[in-house]
Amino acid sequence: MLVTDLFSKTAKEFPKDEESLNAKFLIKAGFIRKLSSGVYSYLPLGLKVIKKIEQIVREEMNVLPSEELLMPSLITKSIWEKSGRWDVDVVYKINEDGVGEFGLGWTHEEVITDIATHFIFSYEDLPKSVYQIQTKFRREPRAKSGLLRGREFIMKDLYSFHKSEEDLNSYYQKIIDSYSKVFKRLDLDAKVVTAGGGLFTKNTTHEFQVFAESGEDIIFYCSECDFAVNKEIAKNEKGDKCPNCTDGEIEVKNAIEVANVFRQGTKYSEAFGLNFKDSDGVSKPVWHGSYGIGISRIMGTLAEIKNDKNGIIWPDSVSPFKVYLIDLNGESSDKCDKLYKALQENALEVIYDKRNNVSAGEKFANADLLGIPWRAVMSKKTGDKVEIKKRTGDEVKIVDVNEFIQILKG
């Protein structure tokens, strides 16, 4: 793709009405556009990042295996009332004359449980697992952190149904392992943290937290082992001996929550009459779990923590392009055009900057701001070769075109 064909353009200055670093960089680079507090449009570049995050999540969910579906956002009041969550503060409510009241979906435990009553009847129907990737809506009074805390956001939510608590617990751990794989592929060091259940469950839950100074959560964790708890349930102080091992001390850091997992037990099954008959013909409530990953929040987290003074630094796995190709003068255009074509023929995503009315410095700055993993330059100086540089390093090398392609494919 040519830079001149992009729908959006990079800006010279940060937006003045944003407080969070992620929103500043994402807006300046043309990935998102703010409509109102906590509500953003994903421009073509931003949507490419979102889709790549979604694909990584989707691949790991399918391996579980879990089936993908899509549920409605417009949920009738009677469904919320069955679980007692119609009057929680986060629900956006709509009253349509002559039709009734609805709440916009901020989570879907109620809907999926209602659906399950039509398909789960016997122990032979269990376990079952389904997920969706969908836009959620929550009334958020503190929507000042860009994509980290929005009123409208994209989430992957997965729901599982089981015949016993033991089976639920086993699957719960399987999800934790799967989420760990997701974050490894996203190049995010996400720590598994014990937490409370909030509006979802009375049971102890687990969150995936990424340490960041701007994070709103406070995590108490061990310097030597895996012990980590959210401040809301912490019983230790900074500097205390770890209650889980003999070597570590409790440390405290801010973090961004990027995922969570809940064991709902039989709460929603009992509310909706979701029962199954066991092998002896006895009717029992189905055990249920729910598991969320913040897709758009992951994008915000990456921009929040992976950057420098020049711009974003995307991991290879989610960058909108792998290469930012720059033609520095007209004499190299034919050679640069051939490299552009060769990269495309090798299924290597490339954004090509061959603008004539823009300085070399501005092109370099644009490449850094967008956060593309590789910068490639052709000019009089490079001749038939190409000058390459990784976004994460300072080393500049001149290599053969074929060698560069192999480096990218390797």
Side-chain angles (χ1 to χ4, degrees), residues 97-140:
D97 291 343
V99 177
E101 293 182 85
F102 302 85
L104 292 181
W106 57 281
T107 186
H108 277 73
E109 282 83 3
E110 288 85 354
V111 177
I112 193 60
T113 307
D114 180 69
I115 292 172
T117 62
H118 297 278
F119 302 104
I120 294 175
F121 306 103
S122 164
Y123 72 97
E124 295 177 328
D125 298 324
L126 297 168
K128 284 291 188 291
S129 169
V130 291
Y131 74 95
Q132 65 176 350
I133 297 175
Q134 189 214 47
T135 299
K136 306 289 189 187
F137 304 88
R138 295 185 188 179
R139 292 179 61 191
E140 177 52 67

Coordinates of all heavy atoms in Angstrom, one line a residue, residues 97-140:
D97 N -41.0 3.0 23.2 CA -42.4 3.1 23.4 C -43.2 2.0 22.7 O -42.9 1.7 21.5 CB -43.0 4.4 22.9 CG -42.5 5.6 23.7 OD1 -42.1 5.4 24.9 OD2 -42.6 6.8 23.3
G98 N -44.0 1.3 23.4 CA -44.8 0.2 22.8 C -44.1 -1.1 22.7 O -44.7 -2.1 22.3
V99 N -42.8 -1.1 22.9 CA -42.0 -2.3 22.8 C -41.5 -2.8 24.1 O -41.6 -4.0 24.5 CB -40.9 -2.1 21.8 CG1 -40.0 -3.4 21.7 CG2 -41.4 -1.7 20.4
G100 N -40.8 -1.9 24.9 CA -40.3 -2.3 26.2 C -38.9 -1.7 26.4 O -38.5 -0.9 25.7
E101 N -38.3 -2.2 27.5 CA -37.0 -1.7 27.9 C -35.9 -2.7 27.6 O -36.1 -3.9 27.6 CB -37.0 -1.4 29.4 CG -37.9 -0.2 29.8 CD -37.8 0.0 31.3 OE1 -36.9 0.8 31.7 OE2 -38.7 -0.5 32.0
F102 N -34.7 -2.1 27.2 CA -33.6 -2.9 26.8 C -32.3 -2.4 27.5 O -32.2 -1.2 27.8 CB -33.4 -2.9 25.3 CG -34.5 -3.4 24.5 CD1 -35.6 -2.6 24.2 CD2 -34.6 -4.8 24.1 CE1 -36.7 -3.0 23.4 CE2 -35.7 -5.2 23.4 CZ -36.7 -4.4 23.1
G103 N -31.4 -3.3 27.7 CA -30.1 -2.9 28.2 C -29.0 -3.2 27.2 O -29.1 -4.3 26.6
L104 N -28.1 -2.3 26.9 CA -27.0 -2.7 25.9 C -26.0 -3.6 26.6 O -25.7 -3.5 27.8 CB -26.3 -1.4 25.5 CG -27.1 -0.4 24.6 CD1 -26.2 0.8 24.2 CD2 -27.6 -1.1 23.4
G105 N -25.6 -4.6 25.8 CA -24.7 -5.7 26.4 C -23.4 -5.2 26.9 O -22.6 -4.7 26.1
W106 N -23.1 -5.3 28.2 CA -21.8 -5.0 28.7 C -21.1 -6.4 29.1 O -19.9 -6.4 29.3 CB -21.9 -4.2 30.0 CG -22.8 -4.7 31.1 CD1 -24.2 -4.6 31.1 CD2 -22.4 -5.3 32.3 NE1 -24.6 -5.2 32.3 CE2 -23.5 -5.6 33.0 CE3 -21.1 -5.6 32.8 CZ2 -23.5 -6.2 34.3 CZ3 -21.0 -6.2 34.1 CH2 -22.2 -6.5 34.8
T107 N -21.9 -7.4 29.1 CA -21.4 -8.8 29.2 C -22.6 -9.7 28.8 O -23.7 -9.2 28.7 CB -21.0 -9.1 30.7 OG1 -20.4 -10.4 30.8 CG2 -22.1 -9.0 31.7
H108 N -22.4 -11.0 28.7 CA -23.4 -11.9 28.1 C -23.7 -13.2 28.8 O -24.1 -14.1 28.2 CB -23.1 -12.1 26.6 CG -23.5 -11.0 25.7 ND1 -22.8 -9.8 25.7 CD2 -24.5 -10.9 24.8 CE1 -23.4 -9.0 24.8 NE2 -24.4 -9.7 24.2
E109 N -23.4 -13.2 30.1 CA -23.8 -14.4 30.9 C -25.2 -14.8 30.8 O -25.6 -15.9 30.6 CB -23.4 -14.2 32.4 CG -21.9 -14.4 32.7 CD -21.1 -13.1 32.4 OE1 -21.7 -12.1 32.1 OE2 -19.9 -13.2 32.6
E110 N -26.1 -13.8 30.9 CA -27.5 -14.0 30.9 C -28.0 -14.5 29.5 O -28.8 -15.5 29.5 CB -28.3 -12.7 31.2 CG -28.2 -12.2 32.6 CD -27.0 -11.4 33.0 OE1 -26.1 -11.3 32.1 OE2 -26.9 -10.9 34.1
V111 N -27.5 -13.9 28.5 CA -28.0 -14.3 27.1 C -27.5 -15.7 26.8 O -28.3 -16.5 26.3 CB -27.4 -13.3 26.1 CG1 -27.9 -13.7 24.7 CG2 -28.0 -11.9 26.3
I112 N -26.2 -16.0 27.1 CA -25.7 -17.3 26.7 C -26.4 -18.4 27.5 O -26.6 -19.5 27.0 CB -24.2 -17.4 26.8 CG1 -23.7 -18.7 26.1 CG2 -23.7 -17.4 28.2 CD1 -24.0 -18.8 24.6
T113 N -26.7 -18.1 28.8 CA -27.4 -19.1 29.6 C -28.8 -19.4 29.1 O -29.3 -20.5 29.1 CB -27.4 -18.7 31.1 OG1 -26.1 -18.4 31.5 CG2 -27.9 -19.8 32.0
D114 N -29.5 -18.3 28.7 CA -30.8 -18.5 28.2 C -30.8 -19.3 26.9 O -31.6 -20.2 26.7 CB -31.4 -17.1 27.9 CG -32.8 -17.2 27.3 OD1 -33.7 -17.6 28.0 OD2 -32.9 -16.9 26.1
I115 N -29.8 -19.1 26.1 CA -29.6 -19.9 24.8 C -29.3 -21.3 25.2 O -29.9 -22.3 24.6 CB -28.4 -19.3 24.0 CG1 -28.8 -17.9 23.4 CG2 -28.1 -20.3 22.8 CD1 -27.7 -17.2 22.7
A116 N -28.5 -21.6 26.2 CA -28.1 -22.9 26.5 C -29.2 -23.8 27.0 O -29.2 -25.0 26.9 CB -27.0 -22.9 27.6
T117 N -30.3 -23.1 27.6 CA -31.5 -23.9 28.0 C -32.2 -24.6 26.9 O -32.9 -25.6 27.1 CB -32.5 -23.0 28.7 OG1 -33.0 -22.0 27.8 CG2 -31.9 -22.3 29.9
H118 N -31.9 -24.2 25.6 CA -32.5 -24.9 24.5 C -31.7 -26.0 23.9 O -32.1 -26.7 23.0 CB -32.8 -23.8 23.4 CG -33.7 -22.8 23.8 ND1 -35.1 -22.9 23.8 CD2 -33.5 -21.5 24.3 CE1 -35.7 -21.8 24.2 NE2 -34.7 -20.9 24.5
F119 N -30.4 -26.2 24.4 CA -29.5 -27.2 23.8 C -28.9 -28.1 24.8 O -28.3 -29.1 24.4 CB -28.5 -26.5 23.0 CG -29.0 -25.6 21.9 CD1 -29.0 -24.2 22.1 CD2 -29.5 -26.2 20.8 CE1 -29.6 -23.4 21.1 CE2 -30.1 -25.4 19.8 CZ -30.1 -24.0 19.9
I120 N -28.9 -27.8 26.1 CA -28.2 -28.6 27.1 C -29.3 -29.3 28.0 O -30.1 -28.6 28.7 CB -27.2 -27.8 27.9 CG1 -26.1 -27.3 27.1 CG2 -26.7 -28.7 29.1 CD1 -25.1 -26.4 27.8
F121 N -29.4 -30.6 27.9 CA -30.4 -31.3 28.7 C -29.8 -32.5 29.5 O -30.4 -32.9 30.5 CB -31.5 -31.9 27.8 CG -32.1 -30.9 26.9 CD1 -31.7 -30.8 25.5 CD2 -33.0 -30.0 27.3 CE1 -32.3 -29.8 24.7 CE2 -33.6 -29.0 26.5 CZ -33.2 -28.9 25.2
S122 N -28.7 -33.1 29.0 CA -28.2 -34.3 29.6 C -26.7 -34.1 29.8 O -26.0 -33.3 29.3 CB -28.4 -35.4 28.6 OG -27.6 -36.6 28.9
Y123 N -26.1 -35.0 30.7 CA -24.7 -35.0 30.9 C -23.9 -35.3 29.6 O -22.8 -34.9 29.5 CB -24.3 -36.1 32.0 CG -24.5 -37.5 31.5 CD1 -23.4 -38.2 31.1 CD2 -25.7 -38.2 31.6 CE1 -23.5 -39.5 30.7 CE2 -25.8 -39.5 31.1 CZ -24.7 -40.2 30.7 OH -24.9 -41.5 30.3
E124 N -24.6 -35.9 28.7 CA -24.0 -36.2 27.4 C -23.8 -35.0 26.5 O -23.0 -35.0 25.6 CB -24.8 -37.3 26.6 CG -24.8 -38.6 27.3 CD -25.7 -39.6 26.5 OE1 -26.7 -39.2 25.9 OE2 -25.4 -40.8 26.6
D125 N -24.5 -33.9 26.9 CA -24.4 -32.6 26.2 C -23.2 -31.8 26.7 O -23.0 -30.7 26.2 CB -25.7 -31.8 26.3 CG -26.9 -32.5 25.7 OD1 -26.7 -33.2 24.6 OD2 -28.0 -32.4 26.2
L126 N -22.6 -32.2 27.8 CA -21.5 -31.4 28.5 C -20.2 -32.1 28.4 O -20.1 -33.4 28.3 CB -21.9 -31.3 29.9 CG -23.2 -30.5 30.2 CD1 -23.7 -30.6 31.6 CD2 -23.0 -29.0 29.8
P127 N -19.1 -31.4 28.4 CA -19.1 -29.9 28.5 C -19.3 -29.2 27.2 O -19.1 -29.8 26.1 CB -17.6 -29.6 29.0 CG -16.8 -30.7 28.4 CD -17.7 -31.9 28.4
K128 N -19.6 -27.9 27.2 CA -19.7 -27.1 26.0 C -19.0 -25.8 26.2 O -19.0 -25.3 27.4 CB -21.2 -26.9 25.7 CG -21.9 -28.0 25.0 CD -21.4 -28.3 23.6 CE -22.3 -29.4 22.9 NZ -22.1 -30.7 23.5
S129 N -18.5 -25.2 25.1 CA -17.8 -23.9 25.2 C -18.0 -23.1 24.0 O -17.9 -23.6 22.9 CB -16.3 -24.2 25.4 OG -15.6 -23.0 25.3
V130 N -18.4 -21.8 24.1 CA -18.6 -20.9 23.0 C -18.0 -19.6 23.3 O -17.9 -19.2 24.5 CB -20.1 -20.8 22.6 CG1 -20.7 -22.1 22.0 CG2 -20.9 -20.3 23.8
Y131 N -17.7 -18.8 22.3 CA -17.1 -17.5 22.5 C -17.6 -16.5 21.4 O -18.0 -17.0 20.3 CB -15.6 -17.5 22.6 CG -14.9 -17.7 21.3 CD1 -14.4 -16.6 20.5 CD2 -14.7 -19.0 20.7 CE1 -13.8 -16.8 19.3 CE2 -14.0 -19.2 19.5 CZ -13.6 -18.1 18.8 OH -12.9 -18.3 17.6
Q132 N -17.4 -15.3 21.7 CA -17.7 -14.3 20.7 C -16.7 -13.1 20.8 O -16.0 -13.0 21.8 CB -19.1 -13.7 20.8 CG -19.3 -12.9 22.1 CD -20.7 -12.3 22.2 OE1 -21.4 -12.2 21.2 NE2 -21.0 -11.7 23.3
I133 N -16.5 -12.4 19.7 CA -15.7 -11.2 19.7 C -16.7 -10.1 19.3 O -17.2 -10.1 18.2 CB -14.5 -11.2 18.7 CG1 -13.6 -12.3 19.2 CG2 -13.8 -9.9 18.6 CD1 -12.4 -12.6 18.3
Q134 N -17.0 -9.1 20.2 CA -18.1 -8.2 20.0 C -17.9 -6.9 20.7 O -17.1 -6.8 21.6 CB -19.3 -8.9 20.6 CG -20.6 -8.2 20.3 CD -21.6 -8.4 21.4 OE1 -21.3 -8.2 22.6 NE2 -22.9 -8.8 21.1
T135 N -18.6 -5.9 20.3 CA -18.5 -4.6 20.9 C -19.4 -4.6 22.2 O -20.5 -5.1 22.1 CB -19.0 -3.5 19.9 OG1 -18.2 -3.4 18.8 CG2 -19.0 -2.1 20.6
K136 N -18.9 -4.1 23.3 CA -19.6 -4.0 24.5 C -19.8 -2.5 24.9 O -19.1 -1.6 24.4 CB -18.8 -4.6 25.7 CG -18.4 -6.1 25.4 CD -19.6 -7.0 25.4 CE -19.1 -8.5 25.4 NZ -20.2 -9.4 25.3
F137 N -20.8 -2.3 25.7 CA -21.1 -0.9 26.2 C -21.3 -0.9 27.7 O -22.0 -1.7 28.3 CB -22.5 -0.5 25.5 CG -22.5 -0.6 24.0 CD1 -22.9 -1.8 23.4 CD2 -22.1 0.5 23.3 CE1 -22.9 -1.9 22.0 CE2 -22.1 0.4 21.9 CZ -22.5 -0.8 21.2
R138 N -20.5 0.0 28.3 CA -20.6 0.2 29.8 C -20.6 1.6 30.1 O -19.8 2.4 29.6 CB -19.5 -0.5 30.5 CG -19.5 -2.0 30.3 CD -18.4 -2.7 31.1 NE -18.3 -4.2 30.7 CZ -17.5 -5.0 31.2 NH1 -16.6 -4.6 32.1 NH2 -17.5 -6.3 30.8
R139 N -21.5 2.0 31.0 CA -21.5 3.4 31.6 C -20.3 3.6 32.4 O -20.2 3.0 33.5 CB -22.8 3.7 32.3 CG -24.0 3.7 31.5 CD -25.2 3.9 32.4 NE -25.2 5.2 33.0 CZ -26.0 5.6 34.0 NH1 -26.9 4.8 34.4 NH2 -25.8 6.8 34.6
E140 N -19.3 4.3 31.9 CA -18.0 4.4 32.6 C -17.8 5.9 33.0 O -17.6 6.8 32.2 CB -16.9 4.0 31.6 CG -15.5 4.2 32.2 CD -15.3 3.5 33.5 OE1 -15.4 2.3 33.6 OE2 -15.1 4.3 34.5

